[in-house]
Amino acid sequence: KNEVEQSPQNLTAQEGEFITINCSYSVGISALHWLQQHPGGGIVSLFMLSSGKKKHGRLIATINIQEKHSSLHITASHPRDSAVYICAVRMGGGADGLTFGKGTHLIIQP
Amino acid sequence: IAGITQAPTSQILAAGRRMTLRCTQDMRHNAMYWYRQDLGLGLRLIHYSNTAGTTGKGEVPDGYSVSRANTDDFPLTLASAVPSQTSVYFCASKPEHGTGELFFGEGSRLTVL
């Protein structure tokens, strides 16, 4: 079973700060997902990546397959970015092959 | 309906009662999943269905059953609810082809007393 560790568990920052959330996993994967969950809300897929880097607006996700590590960055953070960010890894095979991290709770203060 | 719809959004239930959480999607996705989300534990897979007519057990299937009579619907049933099944339940779906992205419903918050 793949172990997925996210850090930090909780993060509070000021509006405009550059945010980094980290995800490490223990076993080789085929892909990694970053998900966003707003308080009381549903879960939205932000990125799926298997190598390199992806960018969408102010969000950037990177992955280093050799080091079994991924980061999610938020530039020019805004209070609406406040949410729980969840990392999930796909090993392939099985029901859906996804193992989820426990999430990083991000609060951006104005 | 657009995407995935779950019902009810919230329910309080007495222990021992039977409860069905409904999940409907209009995206014609083959694969559907039920997860529970508990504080400190993250999302855990309960049951899944890769296509209509088939189902399988996930990580925490005990006390739950599912059916997949057609592509659109994937109900989750608690035959006799227990307090440990108090949780937030998410239904999700995935298309057969594409990036492997999961699409989630808004969640159903269930409290068993």
Side-chain angles (χ1 to χ4, degrees):
Chain A
K1 180 173 166 62
N2 214 339
E3 300 295 329
V4 179
E5 298 289 336
Q6 288 187 233
S7 63
Q9 288 184 320
N10 298 283
L11 177 58
T12 299
Q14 294 299 121
E15 183 173 357
E17 285 189 40
F18 182 81
I19 303 300
T20 296
I21 299 170
N22 297 300
C23 176
S24 297
Y25 50 92
S26 56
V27 179
I29 63 170
S30 60
L32 182 143
H33 296 252
W34 281 102
L35 310 170
Q36 180 192 55
Q37 183 176 26
H38 279 104
I43 300 169
V44 175
S45 179
L46 296 175
F47 295 103
M48 194 201 77
L49 63 165
S50 54
S51 65
K53 173 180 172 179
K54 286 189 176 179
K55 185 175 189 291
H56 184 254
R58 295 180 294 105
L59 300 178
I60 304 167
T62 64
I63 187 168
N64 185 317
I65 296 296
Q66 288 72 32
E67 294 186 3
K68 297 184 175 63
H69 180 269
S70 175
S71 293
L72 177 68
H73 304 286
I74 305 175
T75 61
S77 60
H78 190 276
R80 65 175 175 266
D81 297 326
S82 299
V84 176
Y85 292 85
I86 302 168
C87 170
V89 299
R90 181 181 299 279
M91 293 181 287
D96 62 358
L98 278 179
T99 302
F100 293 83
K102 295 176 182 177
T104 294
H105 188 193
L106 174 66
I107 297 173
I108 304 296
Q109 295 178 334
Chain B
I1 296 177
I4 297 182
T5 302
Q6 289 184 232
T9 55
S10 181
Q11 181 75 45
I12 299 174
L13 186 67
R17 298 297 295 268
R18 180 183 180 90
M19 177 72 196
T20 295
L21 303 179
R22 300 184 296 279
C23 176
T24 300
Q25 53 105 356
D26 64 355
M27 299 175 285
R28 307 303 294 172
H29 290 172
N30 282 329
M32 296 187 75
Y33 311 91
W34 273 107
Y35 295 93
R36 60 178 291 173
Q37 185 180 39
D38 302 289
L39 195 63
L41 295 176
L43 285 155
R44 294 180 292 169
L45 182 66
I46 304 170
H47 284 288
Y48 67 95
S49 169
N50 286 329
T51 189
T54 69
T55 63
K57 295 181 179 180
E59 183 183 353
V60 288
D62 295 343
Y64 306 95
S65 63
V66 291
S67 62
R68 188 85 184 278
N70 56 62
T71 297
D72 298 345
D73 301 299
F74 191 44
L76 176 74
T77 297
L78 290 67
S80 179
V82 295
S84 62
Q85 292 177 309
T86 294
S87 187
V88 181
Y89 292 86
F90 287 95
C91 180
S93 70
K94 180 168 73 73
E96 183 174 5
H97 303 290
T99 63
E101 178 182 354
L102 277 177
F103 295 80
F104 287 85
E106 291 295 308
S108 296
R109 181 176 295 276
L110 182 66
T111 302
V112 183
L113 301 177

